[in-house]
Structure formats: C-alpha cells, structure tokens
Amino acid sequence: MKMRVCCLIAILFLVGCAKKTPQRQGGVFNGSENSILYANTIHQAAKRYDVDETLVKAIIQVESGFNPNVVSASNAIGLMQLKASTAGRDAYQLQGRRGQPSTSDLKDPEINIDLGTAYLSMLQQQLAGIDNPQTLRYATTVAYVNGAGALLRTFSNDRKLAVRKINDLSPEEFYQHIQNYHPAPQAPRYLWKVNTAYQSLLL
C-alpha cells in the first residue's frame, strides 16, 4: 500500500513538472479517462511494431499526461510529443511513406500513437544488439529524448564497441552511467521520469 501511494505521488509530481502547456479543445481535459480511452490503440500499435506497451504508456504519461492537444514551445505535438520534421518524418520512412505528418495528423490520437510507437521501434533497431530487455528499455527511453547516436557515443564512437560495453553492464549500472555521463542534462531526468511512470503502471 505504501509503495502504491509513493508511486501515485511520483506520477502527480511528473504531471505537475511537465514542460508543455496544454491547449484544451472541446471542454475539460481528463487524463485518466483518456488513458483508458487510448488503451486499445496503444495495445495495437505496440503489437504492430513489437514495442513494450507499458513503455509507450509511460512515455505518453510523461510527455503529455494523455492530453492529445499539447503543443510544446519547440512544436512537438500531441500525446507522444512528436516533431513533424524529425520523429514524424522518420516514422513515415519506416512505414515506406514520403514527407511528414501534418499538425492535424499529430493531434489525432490514433495517428500520433501509431507514429510515436513506430519511432520507438526505429530506435530499437538502431540499438539492436543490446541483450538485456531492461537495459534496452532504458536505452530506448534515453534515445527517444536525445537520439540513439548520442546515447551510444557516451560509451564509444564505435557502435559495435559501444554495444559490447553496454552488454557488460547490468541494467542498474547502465542506468547509473546515463545519470553520470550523458552530456545532455535532460537525458538522466527523462530516464528517471519515464522509469518512475513505467513502474507505477505495473502496480
């Protein structure tokens, strides 16, 4: 019971610390209702792209609090806070499509979840070779906010050597490495937030 209360407090803290400003449309926003509303869409996308369903939910929780209308100052849009010209374009390429999604596309929950999950799948491909599933989850989380290349370079400029070094670490040691050595200050904070959300969703 105490653990559940602590996790709920942590989630409230994460939502309160979100850097985005919700843009509400069509009435009052209710994050808990939306999380249930989108559960099947998340499940189907996670299955389609072979991505951890709970990780998708945790990223949405941290990125938007399940509000599909959120737009950041840097024009990251929707539930998974995708930028059309970067993650959106990359996800389109993975799907064999040209161009990039429109703003209205990214505000559509089903499209946003599909593209965001496709992007997570793409990151996992870039991190292929990491053996431990928990370490891969941590690595994918960090890559989502700062890119797979930046993550791997904290271990070595040689991709194969970087993966070998990662595989020599336990998940806990990898997590601590990110906290200590990732050059982007938001990376360790983001990993902590998403992992906290992830653990709470398992309760």
Side-chain angles (χ1 to χ4, degrees):
M1 181 65 180
K2 186 175 180 182
M3 176 65 74
R4 181 179 291 273
V5 171
C6 290
C7 287
L8 288 173
I9 291 171
I11 287 299
L12 290 173
F13 171 77
L14 294 177
V15 173
C17 290
K19 62 181 179 294
K20 290 91 179 178
T21 301
Q23 296 181 352
R24 302 182 182 188
Q25 299 175 355
V28 177
F29 167 71
N30 187 313
S32 61
E33 287 183 3
N34 279 4
S35 67
I36 297 170
L37 180 65
Y38 305 139
N40 186 59
T41 301
I42 294 168
H43 174 74
Q44 293 300 325
K47 184 177 180 180
R48 184 179 307 120
Y49 296 108
D50 193 24
V51 171
D52 183 339
E53 180 176 344
T54 305
L55 178 59
V56 177
K57 292 178 181 178
I59 286 175
I60 294 174
Q61 176 66 60
V62 170
E63 290 287 353
S64 66
F66 284 91
N67 184 344
N69 299 313
V70 175
V71 180
S72 75
S74 61
N75 206 37
I77 300 169
L79 291 171
M80 298 188 73
Q81 287 293 278
L82 302 175
K83 293 183 181 180
S85 61
T86 54
R89 184 182 294 274
D90 288 345
Y92 261 29
Q93 289 178 353
L94 180 67
Q95 296 173 340
R97 303 166 68 182
R98 294 183 179 180
Q100 63 188 47
S102 66
T103 296
S104 61
D105 284 339
L106 292 178
K107 285 188 175 182
D108 181 297
E110 290 193 8
I111 294 174
N112 190 285
I113 290 168
D114 183 72
L115 292 176
T117 308
Y119 183 63
L120 283 170
S121 175
M122 189 176 218
L123 293 173
Q124 288 182 167
Q125 292 173 23
Q126 294 172 8
L127 297 167
I130 297 177
D131 295 330
N132 186 286
Q134 185 176 348
T135 302
L136 179 59
R137 171 165 61 83
Y138 289 159
T140 304
T141 300
V142 176
Y144 192 82
V145 72
N146 281 111
L151 164 66
L152 293 171
R153 285 192 295 274
T154 67
F155 292 90
S156 173
N157 287 326
D158 180 277
R159 184 196 175 282
K160 291 183 178 179
L161 179 57
V163 170
R164 285 202 298 271
K165 287 184 175 181
I166 290 171
N167 284 333
D168 285 339
L169 301 177
S170 68
E172 293 75 20
E173 290 169 333
F174 175 87
Y175 185 101
Q176 197 57 51
H177 178 94
I178 297 302
Q179 299 300 313
N180 293 338
Y181 299 113
H182 199 290
Q186 70 268 38
R189 292 196 302 267
Y190 189 79
L191 177 57
W192 178 83
K193 287 180 180 180
V194 171
N195 190 52
T196 300
Y198 187 97
Q199 296 301 325
S200 74
L201 289 165
L202 297 178
L203 297 177

